[in-house]
Amino acid sequence: MNKPLEIVVVGGGTAGWMSAAALAGVLTRQQVSVRLVESDEIGTVGVGEATLPQMKEFNDYVGIIESDMMRKTNASFKLGIEFVDWGNKGASYIHPFGAHGKPTGSIAFHHQWVRALQAGRSYNIEDFSYAIVAARRNKFEFPAGDQTAVNSTYSYAYHFDATLYARFLRDFAEARGARRTEGKVVDVALHPESGDIASIKLQSGESITGDLFIDCSGFRGLLIGRDPKNGYEDWSRWLPCDTALAVPCARAGQFAPHTRSTAREAGWQWRIPLQSRTGNGYVFSSAFISEDAAAAALMENLDGAPLGDPRLIRFKSGRRLKSWRGNCLSIGLASGFLEPLESTSIYLVQMAIVNLLKLFPRNPIDPILISEFNRLVDLEYERVRDFLILHYYVNTRDDSEFWKYCRNMDVPDSLREKIALFVHRGHIEKYKDGLFAPPSWLSVFLGQGLRPKHYDRLADNMEMSAMIEGLDTVRRSIRERVQAMPDHDAFVRDYCPAAVSDRPHAMMGAHA
Amino acid sequence: MQQNSIRNIVVVGGGSAGWMTAAALSKVIGTQNYSITLVESELIGTVGVGEATIPMITLYNNVLGLDEDEFVRETNATFKLGIEFVDWRRLNHSYFHPFGLYGVDMDGIGFGHHWLRWMKGGGNPDMGLFNAETEAARQRKFMRTPEQKPQTLPKINYAFQFDASLYAAYLRRYAEKRGAVRIEGQVVRVNQNAESGFIESLDLKDGRRVSGDLFVDCSGFRGLLIEETLQAGYEDWSHWLPANRAAAMPCARAGDPIPYTRATAREAGWQWRIPLQHRTGNGYVFSNAFISEEEAMQKLASRLDGAAMAEPRILKFVTGVRRKCWIKNCLAIGLSSGFLEPLESTSIHLSQVAIAKLLTVFPKNGFNPALIDKFNREMQYEYSSVKDFLIAHYCVTEREDTEFWRYCKHMDIPDSLKARIELFKTRGEVLAPPAELFKETNWFAVLYGQGIVPDDYHPVADVISDHDLKTRLARIRSGVQDRVNGMTSHQAFIDRHCAARPGEMSA
Amino acid sequence: MSQPIARVVVVGRDAAGWLSAFALQRAFGRTGLTVQVIELPSQLSAADVYAALPTLSNLHRLLGLDENEVVSACAGVYVQGQRFSSWSRSKPDFMHAYDTQGVVINHVDFIQYWVKARAEGLAVDLEDFCLGAAAAKQNRYVLSKDTTEAFSNAAHGIHLNARTYVRLLKQCALKTGVVSTVGQIASVNRSGASIQSVVLSDGQIVDGDLFIDASGVEAVLIGAMPEAPFESWRHWFGADRIMVASGKRLTPLPAFSQISAYSNGWIGLYPLQNRTGMKCVYDSSRQSDERTAEEIGLTTGMRIESEVVVAPLQSGARARPWVGNCIAIGESAVVLESLDAAYLHVIQLGLSRLIAFFPVEADALVEADAYNADIAAHVRNIRDFQIAHYKLNQRFGEPVWDRARDMNIPDSLVYKLNLFAHRGRVALYDHESFEIENWNAILIGHGLMPRTYDPLADALPRAEQIGKFKGMLHFIAEEVRTMPSLDAHLEIHAPYTGAGAK
């Protein structure tokens, strides 16, 4: 009980260093010793990353100062994601961080909106989201503390350079006692009876033992993938994209406080604005478009000069049957992959780390903690998966085979039921914890073109003219307040100007 | 005008007044440099009717340094939390006038106003719920407030109900132990200085002469010195307080003594019930204009809750006050200075107030007319304010079922009292000046108990929200309950601390 | 084509019937809905008491009822929790308070520090760190204020005189426009799962779009539907009878319900302002009614001062309380022992979910499946909470209790108990009615002491931990001292005047 738990993190990058930073930041040296093994040779995926508002809680928990982090990672603010050409070509909607309007009693806002629509008053739902209105005007400031103020109804996240972020976390972790070992893992020795990992062997010949091994080695899953019984649940029939091409370009055009995702012929293209450049990528299904065609499409659609050649990453949507087995716990891409359509990668890493801290084991590790961890993690993955599938499934594009496939695929029952209930009566289920909250589902349902046939009857209790007046008031107060906000650009330059000038990425090889 | 210093003090008359005076003097000025002589005759009976008191008596007891438990034991006393007034407002109605305070004054105004707001909003009309003494009395409980820091629960204010003759005897022992001298004898002549008129000496029946510099007249109603000799004059108040007789008789106790006095309104006056440790004192205070002495005594005897232990005695009196209580070198203390019926147990208090005032202005080398005037004015004020309070019990009534009550209900009352009653009816306060004995809370208890429901209350009481008001009241109520729940029964308390030794019965 | 629901017919009685009608009328009465009640004969006796969890106040708010007025009219009492006695022979009683225990320290739940401290010799119970429990034990009423809000989440359940409550609900419901007919159901006109109308015994035919079966265990409507079988839970809840009686009013008023186990079942005491409700749940095959009545007196030390009323009990639930256009609310849907004040909660749950899923089309009741799944999940979790009491009992050598301890329990509960037994952590699923603090209270109360604790608790130095613990206990003691007694609070805020419902 008194000996610190020896944790060995295999792999750097965001997952590895977030794990190391959290463990070293939250726990004492009496409780844990953290060692991270990474190889400079093996590049990390680092594609210019967008995040979710939960990152703030994580930073607070671990002890990371926001402005410090942002300065050192070339970061900008994010109020949501703009989806262009999803659902159908020519459409654009934003999935914001924050509520639409305000509920009246127990009646969610959007029922009022639907009622108005059916009465002939067609409002744009986006006018009722503070985050959206601000995002479209490229404004940013911190939300007000006063819960009654109209500018308290949103939250925010960050865009940053993932490589710089990993570097930042590494400095943070090492300052708190985490040890980094340069090296490539070439072999894993298992205990004969239990199948647990006894040690890992590096190319240098060094052998490293540990009580708990955290596999952050990415797709390869060097450790977690060893166990033939711990297979990979394939989700590619629902999320057919399997390749990404990523390229940074010079900063140009608006310095938007939001990510953009533009639907393309066989997938979608991301645009992530950082302080000194813009990150871009095309996520596509190789069954529906060739790599060359995809690369060409990507390069044609940059709004600034490219700062390098596109990097190729192959992946398979899905996840490990068990994220944690024995004394090996996988975090990040080693535990599963869901495309960054809703910026969930880092969130899923954070979620796993937080659950590990909640269920922190002693030595020997009790299987019941492992079961509970897996139960919690599985639930989150499934919910995020369903939410992503929604974006593909509900579309009316008939301009490519890819979109036709998506429109016709057999989706999970859980998602089908959700869609049916929304279409029938605008109902959105609210979870106790975890992603995604009703405002997210609402913006994507509506953004992708669904309209509820009916609204919650409780909304009829409001007198129509009073309701309309209420809607008008909210819309107006949002507009007025947003007008007074500072520009995103000015705000960032003032709050967290980048500390490092941009460095070109080390060239990465492709990974299978 | 005397040139010599004042050294010899003579108290004429025993009883509680005389011995309270002697005891206090013997303690405070002592007998080293003074002589304190008390002249009394056992032949002249003392009134001693079983006496109830008010908490101020503790001040007096403290001056004497009395041990309370010893005092209670020696006088067969019980504790008193207040007075229950039965049938005063109307038949089959009673209210309690407690010691202590109702609730807690808040936001700069009296509790009564907050309570009125709540009561008028539908709250329980029983104000006693917010007074620990009332609740304890209802449950026949008693306890002295334990020392405790901080004091989070309400204090218990109390007084005593004792055998007045035992009290006198107790104080006599006290005084004599400190050098006061008792002379058995009857005064037959009072000798005055020819020029000044100052009293120089008293001649007793057996021929002795008692000289003195300062004389205290405790001779009772007759006022041997103050009235018969110095002709102070008497202000008669019987048109406002028509009772002029009291029939008193003791009876056996009926169960454990209750920790309060009961005053029950009767056809031509009222009846007291004062429980002592060993018996119960009873009396019928009445006006012989409305009932004969015979009938009154019969009525009294028929309304006892225990076997009579003696024949009833009749006392005659005239309610009123000496026009001057201090003339030249003689002051009157006790019944000689004035009389107010014991409706609110004020007799002993008024004597003790006079004693306190005497000690305050105690003369050294001569008699200062200014101080004497002050004494007289203040004693007048004391008596007058108590008088008004007593009248209120009579004039504010719904009873008209006998001639006596019809008289009381419709009699002319002092303007000062009229104004006070009107103010209370308007806004639930009387604005009693601080020097008066009976405070805002006492007036509230009696006027409300007698049937006046104020039309309104102080506006500041409306400031806080309904919820906040109820929250405060619930806390206060809870404090009262907690205090009373922690109390033992009255009898158990007496048994534990101050039970009179058996066989110590009064004369 | 797609018409909205116009007419709801509530066939029911007592609280289930009137709460259903009242709630639906309040929610939708102004949107063109009419609510008609077919009032079946009451099954309440004069001795019945409704005990409710804090969540009932949400329903009262929806209904526009002032809680103090309800309590006042129904001789009601506010309670801070339930005290369980004699469920273990060796351990003392414990309080399941409606409040959290301790505070989170350095992101680690308080219970972890407590488990650790216990292993190191701390003699203080977990519930002593719970403000609500401390208040309950001293019969105080918790007033929440700024200083307590950071530390405690104390909420109040209530006890109400059942008949008066029902009368009050009825009066209020009728005032809002609910129409009522007293009667009995003679027959039901339906085709498949769709009810067109019900026929009363006097011949009246009552049409409706939607039918609520709030008839209790009689289940006059849903019971006839083949698609809605009632699944018995006899294997978990062996009792088959309830006895109800009344005792004298307790002074001072206790601020909690009292649940005492005895050889053949358990006996509940539910204080009211003018009497105390008594309830015994037992296995009639092991004990006669006469013996049960005696047992009530023996266990509680109180005399029965009323008639004794007996009714059968059959625990269980329908997997599908909503079939066709018929929705079962209350015991027609779920029957649980009244151990955790679940009776009214289950009604409230059924109603709040129904309002959330109120069908938008009269002829396409799409919402039924979602409703059934939601209710089933909630009910499962409440059932598990109740089973836990029985499973964890420590009364050895008594057939009823030995059997309870040995019985197989649902996997969902097995998982929860295992995780807690190992690590003092409560695994919450979706749709739980009880929070972590409630589970903590009963699991620890019944003696399920976690074998290990969260190692992150070790980061707090011992001296500091002792300081924080002392600080909490001191804070609780100080706060409780300033609270009014329950008696005083009720006297001022909600006195029972004997006038009955207004």
Side-chain angles (χ1 to χ4, degrees), chain C residues 114-171:
Chain C
W114 179 80
V115 170
K116 174 181 179 188
R118 279 298 268 213
E120 290 169 357
L122 174 77
V124 183
D125 287 325
L126 181 65
E127 69 190 43
D128 292 334
F129 294 92
C130 172
L131 184 68
K137 284 186 251 199
Q138 297 197 49
N139 303 323
R140 303 273 135 184
Y141 179 87
V142 178
L143 291 166
S144 63
K145 35 191 237 247
D146 294 333
T147 41
T148 51
E149 256 157 35
F151 180 81
S152 138
N153 225 358
H156 304 98
I158 45 179
H159 296 160
L160 299 167
N161 187 55
R163 271 192 180 162
T164 325
Y165 184 55
V166 170
R167 252 200 315 272
L168 183 147
L169 290 174
K170 176 174 175 176
Q171 267 173 29

Side-chain angles (χ1 to χ4, degrees), chain B residues 101-237:
Chain B
L101 302 167
Y102 289 104
V104 168
D105 294 345
M106 302 179 279
D107 302 335
I109 56 170
F111 177 78
H113 297 291
H114 298 283
W115 181 82
L116 280 169
R117 173 184 164 188
W118 178 65
M119 192 270 287
K120 283 175 178 299
N124 194 320
D126 175 9
M127 206 177 178
L129 296 175
F130 298 95
N131 172 273
E133 289 84 351
T134 308
E135 287 284 270
R138 286 171 176 161
Q139 295 178 40
R140 316 288 201 249
K141 289 181 162 186
F142 183 78
M143 178 183 74
R144 283 188 285 247
T145 314
E147 281 301 309
Q148 169 190 37
K149 279 188 205 344
Q151 200 67 249
T152 51
L153 301 180
K155 258 184 54 160
I156 296 292
N157 298 278
Y158 62 94
F160 312 94
Q161 300 168 129
F162 53 60
D163 181 328
S165 49
L166 290 180
Y167 187 48
Y170 175 65
L171 292 175
R172 170 181 160 180
R173 288 194 289 280
Y174 180 96
E176 287 185 315
K177 219 186 328 205
R178 281 161 184 74
V181 173
R182 175 184 180 273
I183 295 185
E184 169 76 37
Q186 250 181 297
V187 175
V188 294
R189 218 169 97 113
V190 179
N191 304 313
Q192 289 169 276
N193 178 287
E195 288 149 31
S196 66
F198 277 44
I199 300 176
E200 290 184 322
S201 62
L202 309 168
D203 290 339
L204 307 184
K205 192 160 176 191
D206 61 6
R208 283 180 292 176
R209 169 166 288 189
V210 181
S211 309
D213 304 314
L214 169 68
F215 289 81
V216 184
D217 184 346
C218 298
S219 63
F221 294 118
R222 64 189 283 216
L224 173 63
L225 306 183
I226 197 76
E227 189 62 49
E228 288 182 12
T229 310
L230 296 169
Q231 281 127 35
Y234 198 75
E235 200 178 315
D236 186 332
W237 288 337

Side-chain angles (χ1 to χ4, degrees), chain A residues 53-310:
Chain A
Q54 282 82 354
M55 167 132 273
K56 249 186 102 46
E57 289 152 35
F58 180 77
N59 286 351
D60 289 343
Y61 184 17
V62 169
I64 290 170
I65 310 279
E66 178 184 83
S67 53
D68 192 30
M69 177 197 85
M70 291 183 78
R71 245 197 303 272
K72 293 182 180 153
T73 58
N74 207 2
S76 66
F77 287 103
K78 176 187 172 195
L79 289 170
I81 304 175
E82 183 192 13
F83 289 91
V84 177
D85 293 343
W86 287 80
N88 55 279
K89 273 195 113 160
S92 152
Y93 72 90
I94 291 186
H95 164 196
F97 294 139
H100 295 82
K102 350 176 254 199
T104 313
S106 56
I107 314 166
F109 171 82
H110 65 277
H111 294 290
Q112 297 179 42
W113 176 80
V114 174
R115 184 181 174 207
L117 190 66
Q118 292 187 0
R121 291 293 302 260
S122 178
Y123 289 93
N124 183 347
I125 190 79
E126 301 211 323
D127 288 343
F128 298 96
S129 165
Y130 195 92
I132 294 178
V133 175
R136 288 214 183 274
R137 284 158 185 65
N138 298 315
K139 306 261 194 172
F140 185 82
E141 74 184 348
F142 291 125
D146 174 10
Q147 295 300 310
T148 59
V150 72
N151 57 333
S152 72
T153 58
Y154 68 100
S155 56
Y156 65 91
Y158 321 99
H159 304 119
F160 50 56
D161 180 324
T163 311
L164 292 178
Y165 181 56
R167 179 77 235 198
F168 170 81
L169 290 171
R170 172 179 159 182
D171 291 340
F172 183 91
E174 286 183 313
R176 280 153 188 77
R179 282 177 304 142
R180 176 185 181 273
T181 300
E182 165 69 39
K184 224 177 6 172
V185 174
V186 296
D187 198 9
V188 178
L190 305 176
H191 282 297
E193 297 118 26
S194 66
D196 281 358
I197 297 175
S199 63
I200 54 175
K201 195 151 117 200
L202 305 186
Q203 193 165 54
S204 59
E206 185 186 353
S207 189
I208 301 179
T209 56
D211 297 321
L212 178 67
F213 290 82
I214 301 186
D215 187 345
C216 298
S217 61
F219 297 117
R220 292 170 296 147
L222 277 179
L223 308 182
I224 197 84
R226 294 261 155 171
D227 185 343
K229 285 195 244 120
N230 195 7
Y232 200 79
E233 198 183 315
D234 188 343
W235 288 342
S236 47
R237 67 192 183 290
W238 294 318
L239 296 165
C241 295
D242 60 1
T243 319
L245 279 166
V247 66
C249 73
R251 190 179 140 166
Q254 296 285 23
F255 186 50
H258 62 82
T259 309
R260 180 184 302 143
S261 161
T262 309
R264 296 263 179 248
E265 183 192 326
W268 59 279
Q269 177 172 340
W270 78 71
R271 178 183 184 275
I272 291 177
L274 304 179
Q275 283 188 46
S276 51
R277 62 180 165 80
T278 302
N280 309 272
Y282 187 172
V283 177
F284 60 94
S285 170
S286 60
F288 292 90
I289 194 174
S290 70
E291 280 172 26
D292 289 335
L298 173 61
M299 301 309 272
E300 253 164 62
N301 284 293
L302 302 177
D303 53 20
L307 299 173
D309 292 325

Side-chain angles (χ1 to χ4, degrees), chain C residues 12-19 40-44 50 166 169 214 343:
Chain C
R13 49 171 46 102
D14 301 330
W18 289 107
L19 282 173
L40 305 176
S42 170
Q43 286 172 342
L44 293 174
Y50 283 136
V166 170
L169 290 174
Y343 177 84

Side-chain angles (χ1 to χ4, degrees), chain C residues 213-255:
Chain C
D213 183 344
S215 61
V217 294
E218 200 187 331
V220 290
L221 302 181
I222 199 103
M225 298 200 159
E227 305 89 337
F230 185 81
E231 184 195 320
S232 165
W233 289 340
R234 190 74 198 272
H235 44 293
W236 290 315
F237 303 105
D240 69 342
R241 225 150 154 73
I242 309 178
M243 175 177 288
V244 163
S246 238
K248 74 174 191 348
R249 192 253 204 220
L250 292 167
T251 301
L253 268 179

Side-chain angles (χ1 to χ4, degrees), chain C residues 112-387:
Chain C
Q112 301 298 331
Y113 295 100
W114 179 80
V115 170
K116 174 181 179 188
R118 279 298 268 213
E120 290 169 357
L122 174 77
V124 183
D125 287 325
L126 181 65
E127 69 190 43
D128 292 334
F129 294 92
C130 172
L131 184 68
K137 284 186 251 199
Q138 297 197 49
N139 303 323
R140 303 273 135 184
Y141 179 87
V142 178
L143 291 166
S144 63
K145 35 191 237 247
D146 294 333
T147 41
T148 51
E149 256 157 35
F151 180 81
S152 138
N153 225 358
H156 304 98
I158 45 179
H159 296 160
L160 299 167
N161 187 55
R163 271 192 180 162
T164 325
Y165 184 55
V166 170
R167 252 200 315 272
L168 183 147
L169 290 174
K170 176 174 175 176
Q171 267 173 29
C172 294
L174 293 177
K175 259 195 244 178
T176 62
V178 169
V179 170
S180 166
T181 311
V182 172
Q184 295 265 33
I185 305 293
S187 64
V188 176
N189 292 328
R190 77 183 158 93
S191 50
S194 181
I195 300 178
Q196 279 88 50
S197 58
V198 292
V199 182
L200 307 191
S201 41
D202 64 2
Q204 249 190 94
I205 302 181
V206 180
D207 295 325
D209 299 316
L210 202 67
F211 288 80
I212 308 291
D213 183 344
S215 61
V217 294
E218 200 187 331
V220 290
L221 302 181
I222 199 103
M225 298 200 159
E227 305 89 337
F230 185 81
E231 184 195 320
S232 165
W233 289 340
R234 190 74 198 272
H235 44 293
W236 290 315
F237 303 105
D240 69 342
R241 225 150 154 73
I242 309 178
M243 175 177 288
V244 163
S246 238
K248 74 174 191 348
R249 192 253 204 220
L250 292 167
T251 301
L253 268 179
F256 51 88
S257 332
Q258 169 69 39
I259 314 286
S260 307
Y262 76 101
S263 55
N264 282 317
W266 58 270
I267 294 165
L269 288 180
Y270 304 94
L272 295 175
Q273 285 192 48
N274 62 345
R275 64 183 180 91
T276 301
M278 303 163 142
K279 175 178 296 201
C280 181
V281 167
Y282 59 107
D283 181 341
S284 67
S285 69
R286 296 183 192 275
Q287 184 173 291
S288 69
D289 292 349
E290 291 71 38
R291 178 79 197 113
T292 302
E294 276 171 31
E295 193 64 57
I296 290 179
L298 284 171
T299 303
T300 64
M302 286 177 72
R303 267 194 47 218
I304 295 181
E305 310 212 337
S306 72
E307 264 186 47
V308 153
V309 177
V310 178
L313 168 66
Q314 158 92 280
S315 304
R318 290 179 207 280
R320 304 178 60 215
W322 182 341
V323 174
N325 67 341
C326 175
I327 301 142
I329 300 280
E331 291 202 319
S332 49
V334 181
V335 180
L336 284 164
E337 293 187 10
S338 38
L339 250 184
D340 297 291
Y343 177 84
L344 283 178
H345 181 72
V346 159
I347 294 174
Q348 176 177 354
L349 201 57
L351 287 172
S352 78
R353 301 325 283 146
L354 175 58
I355 289 172
F357 281 118
F358 198 77
V360 287
E361 287 178 10
D363 43 6
L365 304 182
V366 170
E367 292 85 344
D369 288 340
Y371 176 89
N372 285 334
D374 189 311
I375 295 291
H378 273 105
V379 165
R380 256 199 314 275
N381 291 324
I382 298 172
R383 173 207 68 193
D384 281 0
F385 193 81
Q386 291 210 345
I387 293 174

Side-chain angles (χ1 to χ4, degrees), chain B residues 249-437:
Chain B
M249 68 194 290
C251 72
R253 45 178 269 175
D256 290 342
I258 57 178
Y260 58 92
T261 302
R262 184 178 294 136
T264 308
R266 296 292 186 205
E267 55 279 306
W270 61 280
Q271 178 174 338
W272 79 69
R273 180 185 184 280
I274 294 177
L276 308 178
Q277 283 192 37
H278 58 304
R279 60 171 166 81
T280 303
N282 310 273
Y284 188 174
V285 176
F286 62 96
S287 164
N288 74 342
F290 296 93
I291 193 174
S292 70
E293 287 181 21
E294 271 310 305
E295 204 188 335
M297 284 193 285
Q298 266 166 31
K299 288 263 193 246
L300 176 61
S302 72
R303 292 166 179 158
L304 303 176
D305 52 21
M309 287 169 69
E311 286 301 306
R313 275 180 314 155
I314 292 280
L315 289 110
K316 299 195 225 273
F317 59 84
V318 176
T319 298
V321 69
R322 289 294 157 215
R323 295 200 192 279
K324 290 195 188 189
C325 293
W326 188 337
I327 300 177
K328 301 189 200 293
N329 67 336
C330 167
L331 47 70
I333 291 184
L335 301 179
S336 52
S337 78
F339 184 80
L340 288 165
E341 58 193 82
L343 186 56
E344 287 281 0
S345 316
T346 44
S347 301
I348 286 189
H349 173 71
L350 288 165
S351 299
Q352 291 179 345
V353 158
I355 293 168
K357 290 193 199 295
L358 167 61
L359 291 171
T360 304
V361 302
F362 201 82
K364 190 168 178 189
N365 286 322
F367 291 90
N368 184 330
L371 291 177
I372 293 176
D373 273 345
K374 179 168 147 69
F375 181 93
N376 284 328
R377 261 195 330 262
E378 286 178 6
M379 287 312 297
Q380 277 286 318
Y381 184 77
E382 294 277 347
Y383 274 88
S384 186
S385 65
V386 173
K387 165 205 87 199
D388 276 8
F389 190 61
L390 299 188
I391 297 169
H393 294 64
Y394 287 100
C395 71
V396 179
T397 181
E398 294 167 22
R399 285 185 72 158
E400 287 188 291
D401 53 297
T402 68
E403 225 191 304
F404 174 78
W405 287 106
R406 284 192 288 278
Y407 174 84
C408 292
K409 186 165 181 197
H410 299 291
M411 64 184 171
D412 245 330
I413 58 176
D415 285 337
S416 53
L417 179 59
K418 210 181 301 196
R420 225 168 250 209
I421 290 172
E422 260 168 45
L423 183 59
F424 186 79
K425 179 85 172 83
T426 310
R427 51 191 267 150
E429 57 190 354
V430 299
L431 301 177
E436 286 185 10
L437 172 63

